[in-house]
Amino acid sequence: MPHQDPYPTPKATDPTEPEGRRAPAGGRPAQSGGRAMTSSSRPRIGALDVIRGFALCGILLANVQPIASLGGPVVTHGSPTAGDVWMGLLVEQRFFPIFSLLFGVGFSLLLESSAGRTAHPRVLLLRRLLVLLALGLVHHFLLWQGDILTIYAIVGLAILLPSTWLPRWAVAGLSAALLAVSPILGTGFFGLVPGLFLLGSALTRYGVIDRIEQSTRVPLVLGSALAAVAAPVLWWQVGLRSDDPGFGLAMGVGGLLVAGFYICALLVLLRTALRPALQAIYAPLGRMALTNYLTATILVLAVQRVIGGSPDNWSLTMVVGIAAAILCTQWVWSTLWLRRYRFGPLEWLWRWATWGHRPLLRHTP
């Protein structure tokens, strides 16, 4: 018997909660004019919740010290420790590509879903991005200058929304070009976001997201290939200092490869007996990603005031401990909340602002 998602499923999609329909029995979604046909109601793709929750954990781990430093750079005193090396290999710039990819996925899923429910779906998406921009600016100016929501909203308005008028082959080609050029130019995080947004959109428009949970062999082979290519890149990164000319290229390429490997590994594990455990751990966090992302900033700043001292001097053990404590708190809160309500509190408000009418919050009997 297939494993059942223990969390009730809302019926429509949004970029913080990418959902998608199941493909028909033939394994491919029905096509109309080269595009997947849509419906106003689609079952949730559980793998996306798990992947998003997993990415949220990694992003918090990478951001604990920057947030506690109020957006300032984290200064390493002396030679990098073993903990610094492992963070650079497995955590730093390894999780935001996943989050960015999922944003592009969710954007296109919402466009497909809303096309059957409103005469002007792009206006709805425009409103949604503007609301996200407002949230990001409040977060940026009141709490933390490293806010990612503002960047997502601006890139969404400048790149993702206009791309909806392009054919899917053009979106895929532009994504590949941007992802190839950005690490070479050393544009870092800011340069990778547009390509990742477009990659997520292209994967959705080509029906890959609809079939994401239907195969073990594909993510296993792809993940193995990514790991094989990532190994020498990470070895190269270890031998570089942060001020070496090739360090940015190594971090950018390594980040994309490791992020892809993480996604493939999760997809393989979700096809095993570990699926219920992975869903129980990560899905509640992923279902309330916007709420958890913003409240994490408040919690980190509160912890910093209690601990005191310079975050630059925090050990890896302390950083991991702080992240784990916050995530456990958020997991409990998210799990209890979703038993009673269909959306997280900020997800619900964002949805209200997007659609212009108040959505049902409580689960119906």
Side-chain angles (χ1 to χ4, degrees):
M1 293 180 63
H3 299 295
Q4 299 297 318
D5 187 345
Y7 302 99
T9 302
K11 292 187 176 181
T13 62
D14 62 60
T16 58
E17 330 181 87
E19 302 167 20
R21 62 197 178 288
R22 303 293 182 189
R28 295 182 62 85
Q31 298 288 322
S32 176
R35 296 215 28 207
M37 295 178 64
T38 64
S39 65
S40 61
S41 175
R42 60 176 79 221
R44 175 181 296 276
I45 299 177
L48 298 182
D49 288 327
V50 172
I51 294 170
R52 195 180 328 104
F54 175 78
L56 191 72
C57 295
I59 288 173
L60 177 59
L61 183 58
N63 284 344
V64 165
Q65 284 181 290
I67 292 174
S69 301
L70 294 178
V74 178
V75 180
T76 302
H77 302 286
S79 301
T81 64
D84 296 328
V85 173
W86 284 110
M87 285 284 287
L89 290 175
L90 302 178
V91 178
E92 294 176 5
Q93 297 190 30
R94 273 48 177 167
F95 291 92
F96 87 81
I98 303 176
F99 225 57
S100 301
L101 179 75
L102 291 178
F103 191 93
V105 169
F107 188 90
S108 289
L109 288 175
L110 180 58
L111 178 62
E112 289 184 359
S113 178
S114 60
R117 306 170 64 186
T118 176
H120 304 288
R122 290 180 178 86
V123 174
L124 181 144
L125 291 169
L126 172 63
R127 186 161 62 237
R128 189 167 188 79
L129 289 172
L130 291 175
V131 173
L132 183 66
L133 178 61
L135 283 173
L137 289 174
V138 171
H139 186 223
H140 174 87
F141 286 109
L142 295 185
L143 294 173
W144 182 41
Q145 295 181 359
D147 168 74
I148 198 176
L149 302 182
T150 304
I151 298 171
Y152 276 16
I154 293 173
V155 175
L157 291 167
I159 302 293
L160 200 51
L161 186 59
S163 76
T164 60
W165 280 279
L166 297 177
R168 61 184 185 178
W169 62 265
V171 174
L174 186 57
S175 168
L178 289 173
L179 291 176
V181 170
S182 179
I184 297 174
L185 297 180
T187 55
F189 165 79
F190 299 100
L192 289 173
V193 170
L196 290 165
F197 276 11
L198 294 177
L199 177 59
S201 178
L203 290 174
T204 304
R205 293 173 67 176
Y206 273 99
V208 175
I209 299 303
D210 286 319
R211 303 188 296 273
I212 197 172
E213 295 195 76
Q214 296 182 1
S215 173
T216 303
R217 180 167 58 92
V218 172
L220 182 61
V221 172
L222 180 58
S224 299
L226 290 170
V229 177
V233 174
L234 297 183
W235 181 264
W236 175 38
Q237 178 187 321
V238 171
L240 296 173
R241 298 191 307 270
S242 59
D243 56 349
D244 286 338
F247 184 78
L249 177 60
M251 283 291 289
V253 175
L256 291 175
L257 293 171
V258 173
F261 171 77
Y262 284 159
I263 292 174
C264 291
L266 284 171
L267 291 175
V268 171
L269 292 174
L270 283 168
R271 300 277 293 178
T272 70
L274 292 175
R275 182 185 180 93
L278 292 172
Q279 285 186 314
I281 294 170
Y282 294 117
L285 295 171
R287 290 274 303 277
M288 290 175 49
L290 179 62
T291 297
N292 288 326
Y293 172 75
L294 292 174
T295 56
T297 301
I298 299 173
L299 293 173
V300 170
L301 293 175
V303 169
Q304 196 278 331
R305 290 183 65 88
V306 172
I307 295 176
S310 172
D312 298 339
N313 298 323
W314 289 355
S315 66
L316 178 60
T317 301
M318 179 176 289
V319 171
V320 172
I322 292 172
I326 291 173
L327 288 169
C328 287
T329 301
Q330 292 184 328
W331 179 85
V332 172
W333 146 258
S334 300
T335 301
L336 295 177
W337 179 274
L338 290 171
R339 288 178 181 175
R340 191 169 186 177
Y341 302 106
R342 302 172 68 229
F343 312 102
L346 290 180
E347 285 77 8
W348 178 69
L349 290 173
W350 193 18
R351 198 180 195 89
W352 187 351
T354 297
W355 289 93
H357 58 80
R358 185 174 64 183
L360 179 66
L361 182 58
R362 288 180 177 269
H363 291 300
T364 55

